[in-house]
Amino acid sequence: MTDKPSKNEFLKEQSNFLRGTIAEGLSVVESGAIAEEDNQLIKFHGSYMQDDRDVRGERSKKKLEKAFSFMIRLRIPGGLVTAPQWCKLDDIATTYANHTLRITTRATFQFHGVIKSNLKRTMQAIYDCEFDTIAACGDVTRGVMSVANPYLSKIHREAYEIAKRTSLHMLPKTSAYTEIWLNGKPIPGKEVTSPEKETIYGSTYLPRKFKFVFAVPPDNDVDVFAHDCGFIAIVENGELVGWNVTIGGGMGMTHGELETFPRLGDVLGFCTHEQAIDVAEKIVTVQRDWGNRSNRKLARLKYTVEAHGLDAFRAEVNKRLGYDLGEARPYKFERNGDRMGWVQSEDKKWHLTLYIESGRVKDTPEMQLRTAIRKIADLNVCDFVMTANQNLIFANVSARAKPKIDRILADHNVSIETSSGARRNSIACVALPTCALALAESERYLPTMLTKLEGILAKAGLTEKEIVVRMTGCPNGCGRPYLGEIGFVGRSPGLYNLYLGAAFDGSRMNKLYAQDVDEARALALLEPIILRYGKEREAGEHFGDFAIRAGYVKPTLISNQFHADVTLA
Ligand code: SRM
Ligand code: SF4
């Protein structure tokens, strides 16, 4: 490792607070692309330049430029969208993007396929929906996630509110975003410094991306341990007394580079509700100052925690706070999936969690999902909440409006039932054709794999058994595959590494079971395990726990020991 800062560090420093030459690049009509330096900077504005990988070869043969377009990720802390906002976002998908809305694993929307000449108009249309895309990507604090449904209880609402406040507090102070995209219009609630100064981040921002989440047990629906910093609600006598704080989670790794690994967060201590944002800020500043700025592959907080140790990190946070974090308090998670179907909240309102295949809201000949949701949004009888499992909640519905939602869904062939417990608990990252880093299919392939797995599950009498299945097109881990009881991670077209043995509540990662398996081999390996699980499982035993008890894989007990004890099948 060299101590020389990586080139991104110079780029950030010299970017004039994230402006670069983005504005100039937008007006160049000869190309659908922007300059490589601006491509790095535009991430801080919530966008990625991509190209359609399905047509790369053909275009290259014809000596044409790649089919460039932009992905835009919205900042929607807590994932809540009102019905009028949904309608406007749905219009944006038609006018500027690829006619789909993509719910992400961090409970926000992405638009895909926006061409350069429409980028500014799309950003402005998003602003008209009262959203923005600042810091949705880049070396800063990303959109902050909280519990799936803020309407479920008073505590859930508090988690949602603090996620929103944390997101605002952590926004970069630069005016670059409003200048480039919004002709200077202000972002409500966003602090602006004059003269321009990044009071939390400094001019080189963070060494790498940084993710916050807020969870309310017993649901770990945000996978709290997978993120740089998590807050776990501690509720006593029905009141939120504060938060256990976790640090050092992250899923990304690189195949074959053992110094990179996914890691689950450790509990650092406890803070009161009032202290939470201060604690969040101080943790970010320690990572800002201690994080690795020479090797971006080792720059996430998880590596900082490994390098310095949890105790030293805690001591530094305490020093910067001017008070000590408290002892962590007891909590218990039960699951990391969503609870599907209709439920009623404390205030007697109804909420429907609908399974959305890989989070892609689109119409197909078989099912007019996007149209159905749009018709429901047009009625303005609910809010919409996106979940970290890529699903959608129709929230806050009156008893009168409930049958209307059921009717519209049925009329458009959208079933609120799923064909299996495995499908209900599945996640697939985007991968091909838009993701530049994909090594294999994911979103377009997982449904096929699930159908084949469902054949085996039916044989084993396990159709309704909830099993967490996750797939990604590469080891970066966008679908949190190392927390799948069954995890598939792309290696090359058609080939995946197969992982088994994660805990159903998201508290233990899985372990590599077989390398470079194609579909036939994956199914051949999984069938006997699933059949045995059908026959030999103990009462309440989850599939991931069984895979360990039956000796298929060793448990990943210590959060960073992902690569240890692997015995390949
Ligand atoms: Fe991710 C990079 C998509 C959640 C870890 N991720 C990417 C990019 C932007 C590819 C790129 O850099 O060129 C992908 C764009 C694909 C596309 O065409 O849209 C991408 N990540 C996604 C989404 C859309 C996956 C999805 O199917 O929903 C998720 C958007 C979340 C959001 O709304 O903010 C998404 N990414 C995650 C998660 C899951 C999470 O945070 O809960 C992870 C693992 C957790 C973590 O951060 O460690 C994740 N994405 C990565 C990494 C690995 C980072 C690392 O530390 O090594 C990369 C690559 C990188 O940053 O270099 C990456
Ligand atoms: Fe792309 Fe890999 Fe993330 Fe999937 S896991 S979206 S293939 S970067």
Side-chain angles (χ1 to χ4, degrees), residues 43 48-50 71 73-74 102-110 112 136-137 142-143 145 208-209 211 222-223 226-228 249-253 296-297 300 302-303 358 390 427-431 433-437 443 475-480:
K43 297 178 187 180
Y48 273 71
M49 185 169 75
Q50 303 184 316
M71 174 270 270
R73 187 180 290 163
L74 276 69
R102 178 56 157 69
I103 300 173
T104 73
T105 52
R106 297 199 80 249
T108 186
F109 277 128
Q110 280 185 186
H112 287 103
C137 324
R142 305 286 179 99
M145 251 207 309
R208 227 21 184 102
K209 58 178 84 166
K211 299 176 176 180
V222 289
D223 263 330
H227 304 267
D228 297 275
M251 294 276 104
M253 66 161 189
R296 287 182 65 77
K297 285 202 172 177
R300 293 292 293 274
K302 61 184 175 183
Y303 301 113
S358 311
Q390 303 176 319
I427 290 183
C429 75
V430 178
T434 50
C435 179
L437 307 179
E443 176 180 329
N476 280 316
C478 300
R480 300 185 292 273

Side-chain angles (χ1 to χ4, degrees), residues 4 83 99 138 162 189 236 256 377 535:
K4 195 170 158 264
H99 295 244
I162 196 164
E236 290 171 6
K535 289 201 189 93

Side-chain angles (χ1 to χ4, degrees), residues 240-524:
L240 178 68
V241 293
W243 303 88
N244 276 358
V245 186
T246 68
I247 59 162
M251 294 276 104
M253 66 161 189
T254 306
H255 286 310
E257 294 185 17
L258 297 188
E259 74 273 27
T260 68
F261 46 82
R263 184 182 192 280
L264 294 191
D266 298 303
V267 180
L268 190 68
F270 169 86
C271 69
T272 66
H273 188 55
E274 291 66 37
Q275 292 167 339
I277 293 181
D278 192 21
V279 170
E281 182 189 305
K282 297 304 180 290
I283 289 171
V284 163
T285 66
V286 179
Q287 164 64 358
R288 176 197 67 200
D289 299 340
W290 289 12
N292 185 329
R293 289 189 183 259
S294 55
N295 183 348
R296 287 182 65 77
K297 285 202 172 177
L298 302 178
R300 293 292 293 274
L301 175 63
K302 61 184 175 183
Y303 301 113
T304 313
V305 174
E306 286 292 321
H308 293 262
L310 193 64
D311 289 341
F313 200 99
R314 185 189 297 106
E316 184 65 20
V317 171
N318 286 344
K319 193 169 105 193
R320 294 185 187 204
L321 284 168
Y323 54 86
D324 285 358
L325 290 169
E327 282 286 307
R329 310 233 179 141
Y331 61 92
K332 188 167 170 20
F333 285 121
E334 286 173 3
R335 55 191 294 146
N336 63 354
D338 291 338
R339 295 173 196 269
M340 299 293 172
W342 284 104
V343 294
Q344 214 174 4
S345 50
E346 285 169 350
D347 60 1
K348 303 290 173 228
K349 285 289 179 65
W350 287 94
H351 313 268
L352 169 67
T353 306
L354 184 72
Y355 168 71
I356 308 284
E357 192 171 85
S358 311
R360 186 71 69 174
V361 179
K362 64 176 182 190
D363 283 347
T364 61
E366 299 77 40
M367 182 173 75
Q368 296 73 55
L369 176 67
R370 186 175 158 218
T371 304
I373 301 176
R374 177 57 191 261
K375 284 192 178 167
I376 293 167
D378 282 334
L379 293 179
N380 200 4
V381 292
C382 63
D383 288 334
F384 297 91
V385 195
M386 289 163 287
T387 81
N389 286 297
Q390 303 176 319
N391 297 314
L392 185 66
I393 303 176
F394 301 70
N396 229 2
V397 180
S398 68
R400 256 187 65 202
K402 183 171 174 276
K404 292 184 193 163
I405 292 181
D406 281 331
R407 164 66 43 217
I408 293 175
L409 291 176
D411 286 350
H412 294 81
N413 218 10
V414 179
S415 171
I416 66 172
E417 306 293 328
T418 34
S419 51
S420 66
R423 199 175 292 264
R424 256 196 313 282
N425 288 281
S426 65
I427 290 183
C429 75
V430 178
L432 294 163
T434 50
C435 179
L437 307 179
L439 304 172
E441 294 281 354
S442 180
E443 176 180 329
R444 296 194 293 197
Y445 172 57
L446 183 64
T448 309
M449 172 53 96
L450 280 170
T451 303
K452 302 207 165 157
L453 271 180
E454 280 169 346
I456 301 174
L457 290 165
K459 257 201 253 173
L462 294 171
T463 298
E464 275 311 304
K465 188 77 199 158
E466 305 218 64
I467 299 176
V468 177
V469 182
R470 295 183 173 178
M471 178 177 278
T472 57
C474 85
N476 280 316
C478 300
R480 300 185 292 273
Y482 314 111
L483 285 167
E485 293 181 281
I486 300 176
F488 297 97
V489 174
R491 291 270 292 175
S492 58
L495 294 184
Y496 296 83
N497 278 357
L498 173 61
Y499 294 84
L500 297 177
F504 187 72
D505 65 357
S507 64
R508 181 187 65 235
M509 285 189 292
N510 51 24
K511 186 91 38 225
L512 183 60
Y513 177 60
Q515 212 165 355
D516 287 324
V517 295
D518 61 10
E519 180 181 285
R521 178 141 168 81
L523 292 170

